[in-house]
Structures are given as C-alpha cells and as structure tokens.
Amino acid sequence: MDRENASLIVIGSELTEGIIADKHGQLVSRELTALGYHMNQIVAIPDDGTVGHVLKALLKKNDIVIITGGLGPTSDDMTRSAVAEAAGKALVKDEAAFERLYKRVGERIWGANEKQAYFPEGFATLLNPNGTAEGFFGEAGDTLLFCLPGPPREMSPMFYDHVLPYLAALKGHHNRKRLEYSTYLIAEAKLEELTKEASPLINWGTRFQEYRISLYADGEEGEALKAIERLRAMCGPDLIADGDITALGALTSLLRERKLTLSTAESCTGGLAAMLLTEEAGASTYFPGGVVSYSPDVKENVLGVRPETVEDHGVVSVECAAEMAEGVRMKTHSDYALSITGVAGPDRSEGKDVGTVCFGFAGKDRGTETVMLHFSSWGRASVRRKSATAAFILMRAFIEGKEPLIDITTKWNYI
C-alpha cells in the first residue's frame, strides 16, 4: 500500500520535565520530510504508561508511526507491551534475540532483562550493536510501526542504518532524490552556515558523527551538484567526499588495494591514529606498528630525531615532524609513515597556539613532505580527532602523489 504520512512518539520523563531537549523529533522529521513524507505529529510523553493511549490515537490517521524509548528492562518501559496490544498480537520470545542478549549480559539476563527478548508476534527485530535493547517493526492494522531505543547513540545508528533505507524504498511518498556526502574537519554549525550560502534552493541536512559529518542535499539534482562544487570551493575539495565514507576508510582501502604498509609516529594524538588504523579486522596487512613519542627523549632515542632539531625548532615543528616520520618508517620497514606533533591544549606550548599541529609524511623512494595546520579548538579531544582525520586525508593524497600537500592544505578553510 502507499504510505504518505507519519508521526513520532518520543518517550522519556526527562524530556517532558525539561531536563534534556528532544533531538529525535528534529532528526526524524527532517529526514522523513526530505524523503517526501508528511509529518503529522511529534508527541513527547513521560514514562508513565500513556504510550498505549497516544499510540491508539495516532494509528487512526498515520501510515507510519515511529516510537523511541521505553524498550528497557524496568517496569516503566512499556513500549513493547503497548505495541503488542495495539497490534492485537501476543508478546513472544525471540530465541535469536535472547541468545544475542545473553552474550552481552550473561546471567544477568534472568529477571527483568529477559523481557528485552520479547517482541509482538510477527514483528521483525532491528539489531542494536550499541546497547541491549533491540528495536522492532511490523504492522498494526494498516499502520507500519517502528520501535527504537531512546538513547541517541543507539537510536540514531538504528534509524539511519535500518529505518530510513526501509522507508525510502516504500511507495506513496514523493521519493525525491537526495545526494549524500561526507565532510571532514568543519564544525557542524559552520557547515550549516556555508550550505545556505552555497545554495538557498537546496534542502540541506547534516548528521554529526565523531570523525565526520554526513551532509545531505535534497532538491533539483543539477542545482544540488553545482551547490556542492561551490561548497568545495569554499572549504577545500578534499574536505567533502562523495558518499558515506570516513577519511580513515578511504586511506585503508587504498592501502589494501595497493598492498602497502603504513606506520605512525605520534605525539599530541597519543596513539589515536594507530588505534583507529587497527580497528579494522586484518589491519596487520597494512599496519606494522607505531610509536607514541610524547617526550623529546623518546623522539630522539627511539625515532632518531636529532637533538639540534628539537633545540633549534622545537618538538612542534615541521622539521621535527619530518624526522619522526622518517624514523618510524625506518624502524618498522614500512612503505609509508606519518607523524603528528602539536599543541592539543589547554595551554600554549613553545610559544605556539593551541590547535597548532605539524605533520610529516615519508615514503620509500619519496621525498618527505610536511604540513603545519592551525585547528580551531573545542578542547584536547577535538584537536586530537581533527589531527588524526587530517593525517589520514593527507596520507592518502601523499600516496597518490597528485600535488604537493602544502598546495592541498592552502585550500582548506574553516578547520
């Protein structure tokens, strides 16, 4: 059947009491509107059992109802029983879900936790790698119901990975084509400002993620493509990539494709780049190892940075970064190496501002290149994340050898 309209129920007493602000409503309504659905209502209710009454009212006038929250093990988590009653279904144990939950919580499953393995009969489950409450969906009469966990770190991935693609494939809504991009290093507020400048004719959407922001352009395709090129000219071409991809993923794909190895020498990032590089299964094929050289002594005695380099230029310098990269490449016998040394804060160092970071990129049979960047800082973690992301972008560019890295970074703005 055709489906044209939708409503959302957001459950949580902390929402209705004003303790936290609702962001699910904004996210869901923005994404469904972009797909061409009409949003009828967004209803926030407390954890007091009223979900059943609200749900029955919404079922009468919606093709789709999405519920977030109320899937936990406690007595005030009533979503699954309310949905079962509204759909005229019994709650039944899903053995596969029970096994998945048992692997996560062990013997604690017996008791209240066990209820999280029960779902309305005939409803399909939605996996939740970020928590214990799996989502589920099915039909209550003519209405399609989706039930998602309340915590944003669980709800958002489930919505984007499962619910949104499912709804995009249905018939009845206007199904406008939406282009997707990944942006790096630019703050979300600044990105939203720049998108409006690039084109007020496009409906823009953003989704914040830890190492990138997903950007969506909804509108006439020709205008959308022109707007993206304007945006790339404003920010820097390498900071906006087509599709859903991390800077790390783009680099590791290239390493695997070309059968190359990469090592790291890190100071201010404290091993973050190495940690990210080893998160993928089989990372040993391209990552032999790295060195966290936080002190000048380790830079000199392990990586071979010359004492006079530290004395004359300091550890936060392109000269030091170059020798760090060359030293770790020789130590690990890797094809390529990157180094990161900078000021993560909260205080200035060596007379350099917080957010000043130097990078070195060394390669077998290649001249070493260096770059100094100045990141806007939202704290130490922010500088570290930006540093690792920038290192991955520049390492890929260095391997591909399209143009000098210094020429690439002179086009970067708003980082």
Side-chain angles (χ1 to χ4, degrees):
M1 63 175 289
D2 289 348
R3 300 190 186 274
E4 301 177 356
N5 54 68
S7 285
L8 171 69
I9 302 173
V10 185
I11 302 173
S13 295
E14 66 276 17
L15 298 170
T16 57
E17 294 171 4
I19 298 172
I20 63 172
D22 167 43
K23 294 186 178 180
H24 293 343
Q26 180 186 25
L27 182 152
V28 171
S29 60
R30 180 186 69 212
E31 299 297 348
L32 265 60
T33 299
L35 285 179
Y37 286 99
H38 174 71
M39 286 295 296
N40 283 335
Q41 284 181 273
I42 301 172
V43 184
I45 59 174
D47 302 298
D48 63 358
T50 55
V51 59
H53 302 294
V54 175
L55 176 57
K56 288 176 182 177
L58 292 181
L59 289 176
K60 297 175 182 178
K61 55 181 180 180
N62 287 278
D63 301 319
I64 298 162
V65 173
I66 299 173
I67 304 174
T68 67
L71 298 182
T74 59
S75 59
D76 59 357
D77 291 312
M78 305 177 183
T79 297
R80 64 187 73 244
S81 57
V83 169
E85 181 181 348
K89 305 284 187 180
L91 277 175
V92 295
K93 184 178 181 180
D94 185 306
E95 293 296 340
F98 179 87
E99 290 300 321
R100 288 190 292 269
L101 184 59
Y102 186 82
K103 287 181 180 179
R104 293 183 76 96
V105 305
E107 291 300 312
R108 289 186 292 117
I109 197 171
W110 304 113
N113 283 302
E114 188 180 4
K115 70 183 276 190
Q116 292 184 297
Y118 281 76
F119 304 92
E121 188 174 11
F123 276 53
T125 60
L126 299 169
L127 298 183
N128 181 5
N130 301 302
T132 60
E134 295 189 4
F136 53 94
F137 71 100
E139 292 188 346
D142 293 329
T143 303
L144 185 59
L145 268 172
F146 290 87
C147 300
L148 312 180
R153 67 181 298 273
E154 300 176 35
M155 179 273 180
S156 183
M158 191 179 293
F159 176 77
Y160 278 104
D161 294 343
H162 301 290
V163 179
L164 201 59
Y166 190 97
L167 295 180
L170 298 180
K171 295 186 298 181
H173 58 102
H174 297 299
N175 200 23
R176 294 176 291 186
K177 183 174 182 180
R178 187 174 69 162
L179 305 178
E180 180 177 2
Y181 301 88
S182 296
T183 71
Y184 315 110
L185 305 181
I186 308 164
E188 189 171 20
K190 187 63 181 181
L191 182 61
E192 290 184 357
E193 177 187 321
L194 293 170
T195 55
K196 292 173 184 175
E197 185 179 340
S199 177
L201 303 176
I202 298 300
N203 292 318
W204 300 96
T206 57
R207 174 193 176 197
F208 177 80
Q209 299 178 78
E210 199 167 15
Y211 292 94
R212 73 187 188 279
I213 296 174
S214 295
L215 175 67
Y216 307 100
D218 174 39
E220 195 277 319
E221 186 173 359
E223 174 60 22
L225 292 172
K226 290 178 184 176
I228 288 296
E229 291 313 305
R230 295 186 201 110
L231 198 60
R232 284 187 165 126
M234 295 179 197
C235 304
D238 298 275
L239 302 188
I240 303 177
D242 293 344
D244 180 17
I245 186 169
T246 62
L248 171 65
L251 173 60
T252 56
S253 293
L254 180 66
L255 294 172
R256 291 180 189 276
E257 178 188 324
R258 298 194 181 182
K259 296 181 172 55
L260 298 171
T261 55
L262 169 68
S263 56
T264 59
E266 300 179 69
S267 184
C268 66
T269 44
L272 177 61
M275 183 199 77
L276 293 171
L277 282 162
T278 55
E279 282 193 335
E280 293 185 19
S284 60
T285 60
Y286 57 77
F287 184 72
V291 174
V292 179
S293 53
Y294 214 65
S295 73
D297 285 346
V298 175
K299 291 178 176 69
E300 294 173 14
N301 297 325
V302 177
L303 294 176
V305 175
R306 295 176 301 156
E308 54 266 35
T309 298
V310 174
E311 184 176 346
D312 294 344
H313 303 285
V315 295
V316 182
S317 64
V318 292
E319 291 81 3
C320 183
E323 293 181 21
M324 287 170 63
E326 291 164 357
V328 78
R329 196 191 74 77
M330 295 300 293
K331 287 281 186 183
T332 60
H333 307 289
S334 59
D335 297 313
Y336 290 91
L338 65 84
S339 66
I340 308 171
T341 179
V343 186
D347 302 315
R348 286 164 54 90
S349 178
E350 297 183 348
K352 298 179 177 71
D353 291 334
V354 174
T356 301
V357 182
C358 298
F359 302 85
F361 302 91
K364 185 170 55 180
D365 304 322
R366 290 278 304 276
T368 300
E369 293 190 49
T370 58
V371 169
M372 177 186 287
L373 295 176
H374 302 278
F375 297 113
S376 55
S377 172
W378 300 96
R380 288 172 65 83
S382 166
V383 172
R384 286 173 164 173
R385 286 195 299 268
K386 287 182 177 182
S387 298
T389 300
F392 297 148
I393 295 171
L394 293 172
M395 189 73 251
R396 179 181 171 87
F398 182 74
I399 294 171
E400 292 179 330
K402 292 180 179 178
E403 60 181 311
L405 300 184
I406 192 67
D407 292 341
I408 291 175
T409 56
T410 54
K411 302 170 190 173
W412 290 9
N413 297 304
Y414 314 111
I415 61 173

